[in-house]
Amino acid sequence: MPVLLDPDRAPPLSELLKAIPGGLVQKLVPGAERWSDPRIAGLGSLVTASAAEISFIVHPKYLDQLARTGACAVIVLPEIEDGIAAMPHPPPFARVVCKHPYLLYARLAQWFDWARQPARDTVVHPSAVVDATAVLAPNVTVGPLAVIGARTRIDAMTQIGAGCVIGADVEIGNSSIIHARVTMYDGVKIGARAIIHSGVVLGADGFGFAPDSSLAKGAWGKIPQLGSLVIGNDVEIGANTTIDRGALEDTIIEDGVKLDNQIMIGHNCHIGAHTAMAGCVGIAGSTKIGARCTVGGAAGVAGHLTIGDDIHISGGTAVTYNLTKPGRYTGVFPMTEHADWQRNAAVIGQLATIRKRVRALERE
Amino acid sequence: MPVLLDPDRAPPLSELLKAIPGGLVQKLVPGAERWSDPRIAGLGSLVTASAAEISFIVHPKYLDQLARTGACAVIVLPEIEDGIAAMPHPPPFARVVCKHPYLLYARLAQWFDWARQPARDTVVHPSAVVDATAVLAPNVTVGPLAVIGARTRIDAMTQIGAGCVIGADVEIGNSSIIHARVTMYDGVKIGARAIIHSGVVLGADGFGFAPDSSLAKGAWGKIPQLGSLVIGNDVEIGANTTIDRGALEDTIIEDGVKLDNQIMIGHNCHIGAHTAMAGCVGIAGSTKIGARCTVGGAAGVAGHLTIGDDIHISGGTAVTYNLTKPGRYTGVFPMTEHADWQRNAAVIGQLATIRKRVRALERE
Amino acid sequence: MPVLLDPDRAPPLSELLKAIPGGLVQKLVPGAERWSDPRIAGLGSLVTASAAEISFIVHPKYLDQLARTGACAVIVLPEIEDGIAAMPHPPPFARVVCKHPYLLYARLAQWFDWARQPARDTVVHPSAVVDATAVLAPNVTVGPLAVIGARTRIDAMTQIGAGCVIGADVEIGNSSIIHARVTMYDGVKIGARAIIHSGVVLGADGFGFAPDSSLAKGAWGKIPQLGSLVIGNDVEIGANTTIDRGALEDTIIEDGVKLDNQIMIGHNCHIGAHTAMAGCVGIAGSTKIGARCTVGGAAGVAGHLTIGDDIHISGGTAVTYNLTKPGRYTGVFPMTEHADWQRNAAVIGQLATIRKRVRALERE
């Protein structure tokens, strides 16, 4: 079940909005009677919100849901508020008028996420194994059974979750949240305000081998990975994602990059600022991706490529050449009923011949 | 090597069958001489089974293998037993006649899996860190160096493996097996008889961001994930699979769902009862999948879709629209030798033109 | 930043080459003046190497970069050295002449990787939980908070990382490096000189279920996985990769196999010697892959197939039938701008019809 604060901890709407930064609110329209300034215990969608919750409408196509919502307050676009204000019998909920309702929702959710956190002791749990030469700034929290290596430096306010293994010579910036069971190899560097989810492995060896037939026919000799991994500020990394260290130079993730779960980023990659990737994406080694790109789920980018800024890759697409022109790129075999697929897929192997036959017909 | 019980612990076939629930056995036909009621130390395939093992045949196409098997007993379909009984010199192994030999094999394997388990002390290992407010029912086992959070409730007979990190306010039903190094975030709920494999991460944040240019051009503001993750009874989850918590409501996995390794299920998804997914599948956020579906390996389903009951997705397929009609759906580029692929793939970019040219030819 | 040894620990080039096995060096040509036998503190690419580093050139197409390199020494092909020796004013760096510069680079990187390692105490960390019946050979290292099960045998010189969970009856060969937070289920066997990265799960249950409608409509009954997992010598396995145990017999990984991150190998698979797979590959259950194959990133192989020796699968390809003829195989939908993709993909569903129409035109 979603968050619902106890009634006595739920702030009145007017107080709650004062706590949200950014000047997003244009106007607060009181609701009817007991909802003139209702106490807000949580956030819900229009369909599921209860009378203790605030909701939001991002597009007029949801006006139907708005008409039936049980929420005591709703974040609305100015044009929607105009429509409501013109009604002879306006609905009873309070309205928060705002040009960016989705962003205001995000910030309210941040407030509730903060409000629901239990008070944490900013301590190093006695079961954690922290090297004597590690340097922990004030207010760093280290969870039970975490391991922190030699000479590692962790900046103020950062939380290290239970069971993490942080190697030697690692640096983690301030106010970061490293969830339980994250692994960082020696020498990895991460900026401030990172959020790293469980199961993430940062700085493991890249996949580098040289054919070495002196060992055996077809054998591979390991190329040790002497570079490291450097991650900027405000980066979030989803559960079980892996980012490898560089072969000679460092793998680099710039500020504001957002990575979903189970993403794999190979050695020597360079990911530009504010680029976002959905789950299960794979980026092969030595590829450079620009700023503000998006990569859809399970898409892949081949190695040694350069992808420019503001490029959007559709989910499931395999990128096999450089891209410089901003825009959206796609390559996915369309799904159909299996029998139809069989019939049409059988023709794929004859396409070159069919093209030739069409040319021949045209020449006749 | 497979399981082989010590000879003195191996039960006679007739005793073993009495221990299997379900009335699956139609008839037990004694083998020749010393195999009239042989002791069964383990289970093997027709090709590899030794004289101490029982095997099974699920289809007449394996009669060749049956003729040469070394097993002392074989589970057979009634029609195969009819053939054997009609032989002038039937083979020496005992036969267990059964209409569902694969299911009987599964149940025998369950018995041997149970029989090979070493006796476990039902204790909380002294190195585990269990919060004082956690509630552990009788006969709960907690492995070495596991962590269990505040107010978490674990029901009777459940085993928590070594190195697990179970958050606060988690609930786990009875008779579940949580293997080593599983992570559950705060508030996750799981039913009875779950099997969760190592490296699984349950209830990490979904991938939710709102564009927030107040931070930087192209920057993303985090949307905290206030929902949770609720999993039904009899669910098995493979190694390193991740299931995210919901944004506002809960992500839901219904009873009997079976997930293989390295699957990724996004926030707000709803997976119907007895649906099974093979390895490396990705389900994007807010998608609803019905009951009794199967999803082949490395297939993907886009976000915000609705997939009905009894729908079967082939491996490698990208599902990009809603599906209501039961059946099998496919979309995979057929593999060929590379040179052939190059020749034919080059035509893909001209398909619309070729269609036009064919139309023009038809009009001539 | 990459490795750079302190100046007093950096060996002269002539000494360094004596430490590299294999007789790969044909000739050492002294550089100008102070670079006649320079001290080598690290390895760098032609573009980034400093005056304290050695670099390498693997192909004449990089002669431009060679002309501008800041390295004090460079590994060069004989034909490149011929060109340099013929220059009126040869560049100042020393040259190491070698027919296999990439392999020599790999071996130098191995030397630097060894040289940068801090001295390790070969001890079992007091926080590790090692079963009293486990057998650890001399010079085995066990990291903090690792768990080692009953009767497990670990051979000489092997390192077990922090937070690993090694089950009961496991065997690990000599000189292996098991990085932090690896999980091995009971009974897994691994040969000598393995390198296993963080988050790897070895020997979890394969995905085996029998339809069992006695439980519920569409329900699945678990088939316990009674086989194990056997891995040869010189195998490297990347972060968060999972390899399942067998159903009845063992899953087998032969000598010299190299697996990148986030690979999934199903139960009963058999992977031949020196086969290498890039990240995110999935191999479904009971498939046999030959020796010296390569599988590109995110490719998949369906279950119950046989793939011969020396077969190369392109990244992103779905293999759905047996392959015996050595060569390269591909099946990937080519990526284009999204609008082009839409136009052409729409024709895929009409290919069978178009073929028919072309035939009809030809008959006219």
Side-chain angles (χ1 to χ4, degrees):
Chain A
M1 282 297 299
V3 177
L4 268 191
L5 299 181
D6 289 337
D8 57 323
R9 292 192 58 213
L13 177 57
S14 56
E15 292 298 311
L16 173 62
L17 293 177
K18 280 182 205 158
I20 304 301
L24 289 170
V25 177
Q26 290 191 292
K27 196 164 60 170
L28 170 53
V29 183
E33 294 161 31
R34 65 189 174 106
W35 287 353
S36 70
D37 190 15
R39 283 183 176 271
I40 308 292
L43 265 164
S45 68
L46 288 170
V47 173
T48 64
S50 73
E53 290 175 292
I54 189 169
S55 189
F56 58 99
I57 175 167
V58 296
H59 194 277
K61 71 181 168 188
Y62 300 112
L63 280 172
D64 253 29
Q65 292 181 9
L66 183 70
R68 289 193 302 269
T69 190
C72 63
V74 181
I75 306 167
V76 296
L77 287 162
E79 57 266 35
I80 292 181
E81 172 56 23
D82 291 348
I84 294 176
M87 292 180 181
H89 303 289
F93 49 75
R95 282 98 69 190
V96 180
V97 184
C98 169
K99 280 188 189 162
H100 303 286
Y102 198 61
L103 183 54
L104 182 56
Y105 148 58
R107 297 212 177 145
L108 285 170
Q110 287 167 15
W111 188 90
F112 280 101
D113 191 44
W114 166 83
R116 70 165 165 170
Q117 301 299 329
R120 279 177 210 272
D121 298 332
T122 57
V123 295
V124 175
H125 194 276
S127 65
V129 178
V130 180
D131 190 276
T133 62
V135 179
L136 274 53
N139 293 315
V140 164
T141 308
V142 180
L145 302 170
V147 177
I148 297 182
R151 298 170 303 281
T152 283
R153 306 178 72 89
I154 301 180
D155 214 343
M157 313 286 293
T158 285
Q159 303 169 24
I160 307 293
C164 284
V165 178
I166 311 295
D169 301 301
V170 168
E171 294 179 17
I172 306 177
N174 71 72
S175 308
S176 294
I177 299 173
I178 315 299
H179 284 278
R181 276 189 52 245
V182 166
T183 308
M184 300 188 197
Y185 280 54
D186 294 354
V188 168
K189 288 182 182 35
I190 304 183
R193 296 173 302 279
I195 301 175
I196 315 290
H197 285 283
S198 295
V200 166
V201 179
L202 299 179
D205 285 356
F207 197 61
F209 299 92
D212 189 349
S213 53
S214 73
L215 303 169
K217 183 184 169 193
W220 300 97
K222 178 172 178 73
I223 300 175
Q225 303 291 298
L226 305 176
S228 187
L229 165 62
V230 177
I231 298 176
N233 297 321
D234 299 299
V235 170
E236 180 158 350
I237 303 179
N240 280 357
T241 282
T242 59
I243 310 179
D244 282 351
R245 66 192 314 111
L248 285 170
E249 281 92 48
D250 298 333
T251 303
I252 292 174
I253 310 292
E254 293 192 4
D255 291 350
V257 167
K258 309 297 181 187
L259 303 178
D260 198 358
N261 296 6
Q262 303 212 26
I263 287 171
M264 157 61 186
I265 296 188
H267 59 176
N268 316 322
C269 284
H270 185 132
I271 311 296
H274 310 302
T275 282
M277 302 188 191
C280 305
V281 162
I283 311 291
S286 303
T287 279
K288 187 168 165 41
I289 295 186
R292 296 174 306 276
C293 295
T294 60
V295 185
V301 183
H304 297 273
L305 296 185
T306 300
I307 308 298
D309 297 340
D310 299 300
I311 282 176
H312 305 282
I313 308 295
S314 299
T317 297
V319 180
T320 55
Y321 52 87
N322 293 334
L323 292 174
T324 52
K325 190 179 147 198
R328 184 177 173 195
Y329 296 84
T330 306
V332 177
F333 199 102
M335 179 193 73
T336 53
E337 289 190 41
H338 185 72
D340 289 337
W341 171 79
Q342 278 187 303
R343 214 173 13 248
N344 291 306
V347 186
I348 295 275
Q350 307 163 11
L351 283 181
T353 315
I354 287 177
R355 180 174 54 178
K356 225 182 274 176
R357 285 157 63 188
V358 170
R359 269 190 211 146
L361 286 164
E362 287 170 336
R363 265 189 242 107
E364 278 174 16
Chain B
M1 284 294 301
V3 177
L4 267 191
L5 299 181
D6 290 337
D8 58 321
R9 294 191 57 214
L13 178 56
S14 57
E15 291 299 311
L16 174 62
L17 293 177
K18 280 181 203 158
I20 304 301
L24 289 170
V25 177
Q26 289 191 291
K27 195 165 56 166
L28 170 54
V29 184
E33 296 160 31
R34 65 188 173 109
W35 287 353
S36 70
D37 191 14
R39 283 184 177 270
I40 308 292
L43 265 165
S45 68
L46 288 171
V47 173
T48 64
S50 73
E53 291 174 291
I54 188 169
S55 189
F56 58 99
I57 175 168
V58 296
H59 195 275
K61 71 180 168 188
Y62 300 113
L63 279 171
D64 254 28
Q65 293 181 10
L66 182 70
R68 289 194 303 270
T69 191
C72 64
V74 180
I75 307 166
V76 297
L77 288 161
E79 54 267 36
I80 292 180
E81 173 57 22
D82 291 346
I84 294 174
M87 292 179 182
H89 303 289
F93 49 75
R95 281 99 66 192
V96 180
V97 185
C98 168
K99 281 189 189 163
H100 303 286
Y102 197 63
L103 183 54
L104 182 55
Y105 148 59
R107 296 212 179 147
L108 284 170
Q110 288 166 15
W111 188 90
F112 280 101
D113 191 45
W114 166 82
R116 69 164 165 172
Q117 300 298 330
R120 279 178 209 271
D121 299 330
T122 57
V123 296
V124 175
H125 194 277
S127 65
V129 178
V130 180
D131 191 276
T133 61
V135 180
L136 275 54
N139 294 315
V140 164
T141 308
V142 179
L145 302 169
V147 177
I148 297 182
R151 296 170 303 282
T152 283
R153 305 178 73 89
I154 302 179
D155 212 343
M157 313 286 294
T158 285
Q159 303 168 25
I160 307 293
C164 285
V165 178
I166 310 295
D169 300 301
V170 168
E171 294 179 19
I172 306 177
N174 72 71
S175 309
S176 294
I177 299 173
I178 315 298
H179 285 278
R181 278 189 49 243
V182 166
T183 308
M184 301 188 197
Y185 280 55
D186 294 353
V188 168
K189 288 182 182 35
I190 304 183
R193 297 173 301 281
I195 301 176
I196 315 289
H197 286 283
S198 294
V200 166
V201 179
L202 299 178
D205 285 354
F207 198 60
F209 298 92
D212 188 350
S213 53
S214 73
L215 302 171
K217 182 184 169 195
W220 300 97
K222 179 173 178 72
I223 300 175
Q225 303 291 298
L226 304 176
S228 187
L229 166 61
V230 177
I231 298 175
N233 296 321
D234 299 299
V235 169
E236 180 159 349
I237 303 179
N240 281 356
T241 281
T242 58
I243 310 178
D244 283 349
R245 66 194 313 113
L248 285 171
E249 280 93 47
D250 298 334
T251 303
I252 293 174
I253 310 292
E254 291 191 5
D255 289 352
V257 167
K258 309 295 181 187
L259 303 178
D260 198 356
N261 297 6
Q262 304 212 25
I263 288 171
M264 157 61 187
I265 297 188
H267 58 178
N268 314 324
C269 284
H270 186 134
I271 311 296
H274 309 302
T275 282
M277 301 189 192
C280 306
V281 163
I283 310 292
S286 302
T287 279
K288 187 169 164 41
I289 295 185
R292 297 175 305 278
C293 295
T294 59
V295 184
V301 183
H304 296 273
L305 296 184
T306 300
I307 309 298
D309 295 340
D310 299 299
I311 281 175
H312 306 282
I313 309 294
S314 298
T317 297
V319 180
T320 54
Y321 51 87
N322 293 335
L323 293 172
T324 53
K325 189 179 147 199
R328 184 177 174 196
Y329 296 84
T330 305
V332 178
F333 199 102
M335 179 194 71
T336 54
E337 290 190 41
H338 185 71
D340 288 338
W341 171 79
Q342 278 187 303
R343 215 171 13 248
N344 291 307
V347 186
I348 295 275
Q350 307 162 12
L351 283 180
T353 314
I354 288 177
R355 179 174 55 180
K356 225 183 271 175
R357 285 155 62 186
V358 170
R359 270 191 208 144
L361 286 165
E362 288 170 336
R363 266 191 240 106
E364 279 174 14
Chain C
M1 283 296 299
V3 176
L4 268 191
L5 300 182
D6 290 337
D8 58 321
R9 293 191 58 213
L13 177 56
S14 56
E15 292 299 311
L16 174 61
L17 293 176
K18 280 182 203 157
I20 304 302
L24 287 171
V25 177
Q26 289 190 289
K27 197 164 60 168
L28 170 54
V29 184
E33 296 161 28
R34 67 190 171 105
W35 287 354
S36 69
D37 191 15
R39 283 185 176 270
I40 309 292
L43 266 165
S45 68
L46 288 171
V47 173
T48 63
S50 72
E53 290 174 291
I54 189 169
S55 189
F56 58 100
I57 174 167
V58 297
H59 194 277
K61 71 181 169 189
Y62 300 113
L63 280 172
D64 253 29
Q65 293 180 10
L66 183 70
R68 289 193 303 269
T69 189
C72 63
V74 180
I75 306 167
V76 297
L77 288 162
E79 55 267 35
I80 291 180
E81 172 56 22
D82 292 346
I84 293 175
M87 290 181 183
H89 303 289
F93 49 76
R95 284 96 69 191
V96 180
V97 185
C98 169
K99 280 188 190 161
H100 303 287
Y102 197 61
L103 182 54
L104 183 56
Y105 148 58
R107 296 214 180 145
L108 284 170
Q110 287 166 18
W111 188 90
F112 280 101
D113 192 43
W114 166 81
R116 70 165 165 171
Q117 300 298 329
R120 279 176 209 273
D121 299 332
T122 58
V123 296
V124 175
H125 194 277
S127 65
V129 178
V130 180
D131 191 275
T133 61
V135 179
L136 275 53
N139 295 315
V140 163
T141 307
V142 179
L145 302 169
V147 177
I148 298 182
R151 297 170 303 282
T152 283
R153 306 178 72 90
I154 301 179
D155 214 342
M157 314 286 293
T158 285
Q159 303 168 25
I160 306 292
C164 284
V165 178
I166 311 296
D169 301 300
V170 169
E171 294 178 18
I172 306 177
N174 70 73
S175 309
S176 294
I177 299 173
I178 315 299
H179 284 277
R181 279 190 49 244
V182 166
T183 308
M184 300 188 197
Y185 280 54
D186 293 354
V188 168
K189 287 180 183 37
I190 304 183
R193 297 174 301 281
I195 300 176
I196 315 289
H197 285 282
S198 295
V200 166
V201 178
L202 299 178
D205 284 356
F207 197 62
F209 298 92
D212 189 351
S213 53
S214 73
L215 303 170
K217 182 183 170 195
W220 301 97
K222 179 172 179 72
I223 299 175
Q225 303 292 298
L226 305 176
S228 187
L229 166 62
V230 178
I231 297 176
N233 296 319
D234 300 299
V235 170
E236 179 158 349
I237 303 179
N240 281 357
T241 281
T242 59
I243 310 178
D244 282 350
R245 68 194 312 111
L248 285 171
E249 281 93 47
D250 298 334
T251 303
I252 293 174
I253 311 291
E254 292 192 3
D255 291 351
V257 167
K258 309 295 181 189
L259 303 179
D260 197 358
N261 297 5
Q262 302 213 26
I263 288 171
M264 157 63 186
I265 296 187
H267 59 177
N268 314 323
C269 283
H270 185 133
I271 311 296
H274 310 302
T275 281
M277 302 187 191
C280 306
V281 162
I283 311 292
S286 302
T287 279
K288 189 169 164 40
I289 295 186
R292 298 175 305 278
C293 295
T294 60
V295 185
V301 183
H304 297 273
L305 296 185
T306 300
I307 309 297
D309 296 340
D310 300 300
I311 281 176
H312 305 282
I313 308 294
S314 299
T317 297
V319 180
T320 54
Y321 52 88
N322 293 334
L323 293 173
T324 53
K325 189 178 148 199
R328 183 175 173 197
Y329 296 84
T330 306
V332 178
F333 199 102
M335 178 194 72
T336 53
E337 289 189 41
H338 185 72
D340 288 337
W341 171 80
Q342 277 187 303
R343 213 170 17 245
N344 291 306
V347 186
I348 295 275
Q350 306 163 12
L351 284 180
T353 315
I354 287 176
R355 179 173 57 178
K356 224 182 273 174
R357 285 157 62 188
V358 170
R359 270 189 210 146
L361 287 165
E362 287 169 335
R363 265 189 241 108
E364 278 175 14

